[in-house]
Amino acid sequence: MKAFLRWLAKTVGGALTAILVIILFPYVSRLASALLPDEGGAAIRASAVLSTKLANSARLETLKVEEDGVLHYDIRAAFIGSVAEVNVSYRYEASFGIDLREVTMQLVGDEIIFTLPQPTLIQDVLTPSEVYKDDFWYKGFSLEDYERLLESERLARREVYLTGENSEQLWDATVSAFKHTVAAWLKQVDARVTLTCLRAQPQ
C-alpha cells in the first residue's frame, strides 16, 4: 500500500510539474530574455535590418547652422594707411551631414559598432543684411572685389565647422542625429543592442 501511495504521489507530482511548466513558460521566457544577454539571433536580425536601411538611404542632415556675423575689410596703402573700408553685416546659413551609404557596421556580440564618415557640407549661403563702404580715397574696390570678399567669408565660416573650432560640435551633432535615426529603425526589431559610433580616419 505504501509503495502504491509513493507511486501515486510521484505520478501526480510529475503531472503538476509539467502543467506548471506549460503555464509559466511564457512568463519565464520573457523574464529570461529580459535578464540574459541576447545569445540568439535578435542582434543579427537587427544588424541585417540596419544594413539594409543604410544601403537604401542617402544623406542625413546632422547639423543646421544659422548665425549672424560682421565682416570687416580694410584696404591699406603704403605710407598712407587705410584708404577704404567695408563692413558687412550678414547671416550665414548652412547644413552639414553624412552619406549613410558610407557608414560601415560591425557586430560584436550584442554591440553594433558603426564607423561614420567625416561630416561634409550639404549646402550653405551667406546673405548680406547691411553694407557700409567708405572708399572716398580709393575707388578701385569693384563689385567683383565685393563678391569675392563675401565668398571668402562664406568659405571661412564653412571651414570653422568642417575643420576649425566648431568641428567637435559638428561631430557630436552627427553622432546624436545618427543614433536617433538608428533607434527609430530598431523599433521594428525586438533587440537590445549597444550602439557605438567611431569616426572614420581621413583618407
Side-chain angles (χ1 to χ4, degrees), residues 69-73 85-91 126-133 141 146 149-150 153:
V70 177
L71 167 62
H72 176 74
Y73 182 65
E85 66 174 323
V86 179
N87 290 288
V88 181
S89 299
Y90 64 80
R91 165 155 287 207
L126 187 145
T127 306
S129 57
E130 186 176 350
V131 180
Y132 169 78
K133 184 169 66 170
F141 190 78
Y146 171 72
L149 188 63
L150 294 182
E153 182 72 4

Side-chain angles (χ1 to χ4, degrees), residues 119-138:
T120 58
L121 175 78
I122 297 177
Q123 64 178 1
D124 68 347
V125 62
L126 187 145
T127 306
S129 57
E130 186 176 350
V131 180
Y132 169 78
K133 184 169 66 170
D134 181 4
D135 59 350
F136 179 79
W137 299 106
Y138 180 81

Side-chain angles (χ1 to χ4, degrees), residues 31-105:
L31 178 62
S33 64
L35 296 177
L36 297 177
D38 183 8
E39 301 293 346
I44 296 176
R45 291 194 301 274
S47 65
V49 168
L50 295 179
S51 179
T52 301
K53 290 286 189 181
L54 291 172
N56 293 330
S57 299
R59 194 173 296 275
L60 172 67
E61 183 184 67
T62 60
L63 179 65
K64 189 172 183 178
V65 174
E66 293 183 0
E67 61 182 31
D68 296 316
V70 177
L71 167 62
H72 176 74
Y73 182 65
D74 193 18
I75 302 173
R76 305 184 69 84
F79 308 112
I80 299 177
S82 178
V83 295
E85 66 174 323
V86 179
N87 290 288
V88 181
S89 299
Y90 64 80
R91 165 155 287 207
Y92 177 69
E93 298 174 275
S95 63
F96 301 88
I98 57 173
D99 190 338
L100 293 175
R101 293 167 296 186
E102 296 179 3
V103 176
T104 61
M105 184 175 62

Side-chain angles (χ1 to χ4, degrees), residues 155-168:
L155 297 178
R157 295 312 305 162
R158 174 190 302 180
E159 287 305 314
V160 166
Y161 287 91
L162 291 178
T163 61
E165 61 188 45
N166 290 345
S167 58
E168 286 304 313

